[in-house]
Amino acid sequence: MKLSKKSLYGGGLLLFFILFFLSVFAGTKGLSFKSGLKAFAGLFSKEEISASVKIILLKIRLPRTLGAVFCGAALSVSGLILQTALNNTLASPGIIGVNTGAGLFVLLAGLIFPFSTFARTAGAFTGALISVLTVYFISEKAGISKTTLILAGVAVSSLMSAGIDILITLHPEIVADKVAFSLGGFQNLNTGCLFFSLPLILLALFILLLLSDGIDLFSLGDEVAYGLGLNVRFYRLCAILLSGVLAASAVSVCGLLGFVGLIIPNFIRLSGKNKCRSNIILCLLFGSDFLMLCDLISRLLFYPYELPVGLFLSCLGSPFFIWMLISKKKKLSV
């Protein structure tokens, strides 16, 4: 069943406001739904609010919700742009080495600056970006194409994984860092780290919206796009790098949250063929909605225990990936 564009925009916005509201105010006994609303109303009046309530609301819940919003948007748009640039609906940020590059540099930052959360954030961003640049450099030397980009990504990911294994072998005490980063989540989100990534996410999204008309032509094939006057090499370079910046920014805040960049773009495509600009905006909306929902479920489902968001996404995303593979095979065999 295909939904109209207006229905998608309206539904996505409505869902966004509902989930944002629930994410900030719904929670545990430390700050109940009623207490949260009362405290929020008190921020705009002369009514006194306890320090503990202010901390929970403004220092924990609101940054956590913003983290889910921006990371969900960044990861889903990153997946969309990669899938469009590589003409592969199964592509995701991990295919260009983002995950393993970020993971390696998080461990390095943990070794060099063991007590600095910001160092781990900067390390994750740097590692992810280095991986993306390395993948593009290798594929350019090998003759840039969709195939060489994917193969270069596999090679770089394997190299980074080997580096992670070497570090863990030499320094077993950093296994905890690896596990925490691999599971991903927002329970230990640092506000400073979030505001480090926000400008980069917003800038990358703005540039992608400007380039979206050119990126649309990728679906026609490289030769046709060249014939229409598009500088395919330049646009593909921008698309890959900006996708890497989005994924790196998100990963540096929330760790490895797999499948967001796979599920949301493919969900948007079910509504029919839209232009790239429309798909970007829809991915922004539904990526934010999806990650807010996952975070809300993961922290309330097994209360007082909190399920890591990355673990919940793996349980949800793996069956979706299998379904994608099966449905792709059926389409090809028709």
Side-chain angles (χ1 to χ4, degrees):
M1 179 183 174
K2 293 183 179 181
L3 297 172
S4 68
K5 202 181 293 185
K6 285 184 179 179
S7 299
L8 279 172
Y9 284 133
L13 272 173
L14 178 63
L15 199 57
F16 178 88
F17 288 119
I18 291 171
L19 288 169
F20 192 94
F21 185 81
L22 289 174
S23 183
V24 174
F25 296 114
T28 61
K29 291 179 181 178
L31 180 61
S32 66
F33 187 80
K34 186 177 179 181
S35 301
L37 282 175
K38 188 178 178 182
F40 184 75
L43 292 174
F44 303 97
S45 65
K46 295 180 180 179
E47 186 179 343
E48 288 190 12
I49 307 169
S50 68
S52 61
V53 169
K54 274 187 177 180
I55 289 171
I56 293 172
L57 192 64
L58 299 177
K59 301 291 185 181
I60 298 175
R61 292 221 187 139
L62 188 57
R64 181 171 185 155
T65 302
L66 289 174
V69 167
F70 283 99
C71 289
L75 289 170
S76 56
V77 173
S78 176
L80 171 74
I81 297 302
L82 274 178
Q83 289 165 19
T84 306
L86 302 178
N87 196 23
N88 183 349
T89 55
L90 296 177
S92 63
I95 206 170
I96 52 173
V98 167
N99 294 351
T100 49
L104 174 61
F105 276 73
V106 161
L107 296 184
L108 283 171
L111 277 174
I112 301 169
F113 306 102
F115 304 109
S116 173
T117 305
F118 183 78
R120 285 175 171 80
T121 301
F125 179 81
T126 303
L129 209 55
I130 285 174
S131 289
V132 173
L133 291 171
T134 306
V135 165
Y136 194 85
F137 177 77
I138 292 170
S139 63
E140 190 176 49
K141 291 294 180 182
I144 191 163
S145 69
K146 291 174 282 191
T147 305
T148 54
L149 273 165
I150 293 171
L151 293 175
V154 171
V156 171
S157 292
S158 298
L159 183 63
M160 296 291 183
S161 293
I164 290 171
D165 292 337
I166 290 170
L167 279 178
I168 290 174
T169 302
L170 296 176
H171 300 276
E173 70 276 8
I174 61 173
V175 169
D177 279 349
K178 180 181 183 295
V179 172
F181 182 76
S182 299
L183 288 175
F186 303 97
Q187 58 268 36
N188 297 315
L189 186 141
N190 184 294
T191 309
C193 298
L194 176 62
F195 289 114
F196 164 79
S197 297
L198 277 185
L200 294 168
I201 292 173
L202 293 172
L203 179 63
L205 289 172
F206 177 72
I207 296 173
L208 282 170
L209 286 170
L210 292 178
L211 298 176
S212 58
D213 289 339
I215 294 173
D216 257 332
L217 299 180
F218 285 149
S219 61
L220 302 175
D222 289 3
E223 291 184 5
V224 176
Y226 272 121
L228 292 171
L230 182 74
N231 187 337
V232 175
R233 186 175 177 178
F234 171 76
Y235 271 79
R236 183 163 284 129
L237 168 64
C238 290
I240 298 295
L241 289 181
L242 289 168
S243 176
V245 169
L246 285 173
S249 300
V251 163
S252 68
V253 171
C254 60
L256 300 185
L257 295 181
F259 297 107
V260 179
L262 176 69
I263 293 173
I264 299 303
N266 282 291
F267 167 75
I268 297 303
R269 287 192 186 91
L270 293 176
S271 66
K273 289 186 177 180
N274 295 316
K275 288 192 174 182
C276 184
R277 183 176 284 109
S278 296
N279 283 339
I280 288 174
I281 295 170
L282 288 170
C283 278
L284 284 173
L285 271 176
F286 284 96
S288 301
D289 293 345
F290 180 64
L291 207 47
M292 278 194 290
L293 178 63
C294 290
D295 182 52
L296 196 59
I297 292 172
S298 66
R299 77 185 202 224
L300 297 179
L301 188 63
F302 296 108
Y303 176 77
Y305 303 103
E306 183 172 327
L307 187 72
V309 183
L311 189 58
F312 179 77
L313 280 168
S314 295
C315 295
L316 195 66
S318 298
F320 180 85
F321 187 72
I322 293 168
W323 174 78
M324 282 285 297
L325 288 173
I326 294 170
S327 63
K328 201 176 179 72
K329 182 180 183 298
K330 285 181 180 177
K331 284 179 185 178
L332 290 172
S333 61
V334 171

